[in-house]
Amino acid sequence: MLTAQRPMEATQRVNSAPRARGSALALFFARSAPGAILLLIYLCAALPLGLFADVPFHDDWTYAWSVEHLLKVGELDVLDWSIHYPFAQVLWGALFCLPFGFSFSALRISTAALAWLGALALYGTLRELGRARIESLTAAVALVANPVFFVLSYSFMTDVPFVSVANIAFFFLVRGLLRDRPLELYVGCGFALLAFLIRQIAIAIPAAVLLYASMEPSFKSRRFLLPPLFASLAMCLTAFWIAQSFGLTSAYTDRKWVLGKWLNAHELSIPGFLRVAVHMGLALFPFTMTLAAGWYRRALFWGALAFLSVLLVCSIVFTPETPKPLEGMWNLAALGKERRLLRGFPDPPLFPFWLNYPLLAFSLVSAASMSVKCGDAAAREKPLRLFAGYALAQLGLIVAVWLFDAWGSDRYSIVLLPPLLVLLAGGALKLKPVLAGVGVLFLVALLMTWSETRNNRTAAAALAWLRDRGVPFSEIDAGYALNGWHLYAHPENLAPGALRERDVPFVTTNEEKRYLVATSPLPGYREIRRYSWSLPFGARDYSIHVLEKAAD
């Protein structure tokens, strides 16, 4: 009987080998599919639209200087214009510049790569929390498709690197807590420290973990409390080291005006808070609006909506300001903000002004739904309280530091997106409407990012045209980003005796220059060259004008 069974067992092993290899291959593709899909989203947008252009964007020239300085001199340093000390991001960007030398293209690739890793970490976090693959991937795609997050993914700004490293930190923190692995808690706290070395608001990460662990009886032990405690202490010591070694930049110390606002104009915090709520409501509407229809009988939903409505009335009466969803970093009225960082008259609005009012009502309903859903999720699942605490901590930092900046309400609020997505992605999502909403956001993100990049590339081409004709940098006003890079970051290009603290056009002075790169013709200047392009389907024509001051 034994001899009769051995050939059969051998045959079964031989036959099962291909099945084992096939199932292993299927498992590999299943596990790698989310990363491949997220990577495909970035590449399919970046390559055909030319989003890796070698030009500065918004404020990223400030941090790009640190990379260039590190590669040239071998020292870590920051410009006095910087409000952050992003040393970890500088080192990361320098790695991408090593093969071919410094360029903004390499720095943009470094940010896009980190954005992809951060989105993948968000997916992994949701999987650790027990979410299905499709729900987890939908949340990760919703982060990537957010117009503000997407456009900043193709820059060297600190926003996306910070959010991405924070996502990686929470991936390990959740694994450490749920799987009782203290080592992974230390790894997560290590990434939190790296996030602190990008933007110092990362102090909220170990603070949220420490608060969560101290309030949950199952985590009240040294192996769970010590890692975030050590991380908090390390961040405090790091902040002291930065202050002693590099000093406080002027941009950092100038934030004291926020305290003056709280003391003398605190009523302006009402529209500031509303701007955050409005932009979060718009950013997360694919998740929230599918839920609002089922909550019309819930007192909590109507209470949240009434609270936001009271704030809106107070904002109109006491400030007066009505939040405008078409403005901010989204700036949907003009598809982005970069053109406002050039001289020239404002472009005519892409959408009618009255559209702000229905969008405002829509976003407030979405924000009320978001608050109810997040509260329900945190009440039902204890691990989600960690993300609720982190979101509240970051909201507190926004309120304390950025609330009065109208232009920063949605840009600085993207730190709230990952924890809110974790809270919203649970439960019975209606995937088709959610995916349709995410698709709408992604189309807006593509159009806005292409528009911003095209504007920057054209302004850089206009500057290069003037330089080819022998015009010095000191005689050209090419807008905030190009002036900042070529004159403030490189003061050797200024005129003899000029100082970057007072003589950089559109950055530290409003002094008129002989040549302008502008968005429109201006009185007192004659046009010597013009660049034009159109939005898809001829929806809008844009142009960049090279102007020379006319003779008196």
Side-chain angles (χ1 to χ4, degrees), residues 47-176:
L47 297 180
L49 299 182
L51 302 183
F52 292 131
D54 187 17
V55 293
F57 177 88
H58 210 71
D59 284 322
D60 70 353
W61 55 270
T62 308
Y63 317 113
W65 177 87
S66 297
V67 177
E68 186 186 53
H69 184 75
L70 175 63
L71 295 172
K72 285 184 177 179
V73 183
E75 295 179 353
L76 277 174
D77 203 356
V78 294
L79 276 176
D80 194 49
W81 194 256
S82 176
I83 201 169
H84 305 294
Y85 298 84
F87 297 130
Q89 180 182 346
V90 168
L91 293 173
W92 175 261
L95 288 177
F96 285 77
C97 291
L98 287 177
F100 303 105
F102 173 85
S103 71
F104 281 95
S105 298
L107 296 182
R108 288 186 174 204
I109 293 172
S110 75
T111 306
L114 204 51
W116 173 71
L117 291 173
L120 201 56
L122 178 62
Y123 169 85
T125 300
L126 286 162
R127 292 291 292 146
E128 288 293 322
L129 291 168
R131 301 294 179 262
R133 285 190 175 90
I134 186 63
E135 292 176 351
S136 303
L137 183 58
T138 300
V141 172
L143 174 65
V144 169
N146 177 266
V148 180
F149 187 91
F150 193 78
V151 72
L152 294 178
S153 295
Y154 297 100
S155 73
F156 198 60
M157 302 283 282
T158 60
D159 307 79
V160 169
F162 170 77
V163 170
S164 299
V165 176
N167 286 351
I168 296 171
F170 273 105
F171 171 71
F172 286 103
L173 290 169
V174 168
R175 284 175 62 90

Side-chain angles (χ1 to χ4, degrees), residues 266-275 311-312 314-315 318-319:
H266 49 270
E267 70 277 2
L268 295 178
S269 63
I270 299 173
F273 180 83
L274 275 174
R275 286 193 296 268
L311 289 182
L312 177 60
C314 292
S315 176
F318 297 118
T319 50

Side-chain angles (χ1 to χ4, degrees), residues 39 87 230 313-314 348 355 391 435 447 452 459 466 473 513 520 550:
L39 184 62
F87 297 130
F230 286 153
V313 172
C314 292
L355 190 59
L435 289 173
L447 192 58
E452 298 288 79
L466 288 170
F473 282 116
K513 294 297 179 181
S520 67

